[in-house]
Amino acid sequence: MHLGDMDNNKLIGDIPPSICNLVSLNVLDLSSNNLSGAIPECLGSGEIRLQLSVMDLQMNHFHGNIPDSFVEGNVLRSLNLNKNDFDGPLPKSLVNCQDLEVLNLGNNKINDTFPHWLGTFPKLQVLVLRANHFHGQIIQSENESYFSSLRIIDLSHNEFSGSLPTSYFKSFKGMINLSDVQMLYMEGNSYYYPYGVKGGV
């Protein structure tokens, strides 16, 4: 199976462990349901041969830590966990998701400092960390290639402190030209996110 699209239903319960038995799965969209529990670690593990490029679990009731099981060589391009109940720190194994273009972790209970290490991702265009418990200073970076492909960043409604890291603005080269980004107003919220990026999801 290449596409698992079950969004906008009334599904309940956990993601069944049997999903780990699939030989191939490129897109998993379970968004806008009533699912709960933890994410199976196999979804980030290469052991089950899942070639996930898109995982959309937004607007459910998943909880606990985001699994720290993302392996080297994975092909994940879009990870959307918006509007769940995830807590704890960001999994450090996310550093293995070098193909990520969209990372939306907004509206959870994640408690961590600013993940500056995401700045090395060469394709990351959308970073949403809004409405969590991120805290501390956003450390200045002299690396001009940090977040060089970023188009949209949302850090609102967190607990960051200290000075505005102006050095990052010099590296936001991807924000110079937004002509190929299609924007969609999310009704009920006062912010915009891309519905898709050219050549992306």
Side-chain angles (χ1 to χ4, degrees), residues 18-35:
S18 57
I19 198 171
C20 299
N21 298 325
L22 295 175
V23 174
S24 177
L25 183 63
N26 300 123
V27 176
L28 177 63
D29 188 350
L30 298 175
S31 61
S32 301
N33 280 287
N34 291 308
L35 295 168

Side-chain angles (χ1 to χ4, degrees), residues 50-64:
L50 290 182
Q51 295 299 307
L52 272 178
S53 62
V54 175
M55 181 158 56
D56 190 346
L57 305 180
Q58 67 174 313
M59 300 182 70
N60 280 286
H61 304 289
F62 294 113
H63 58 79

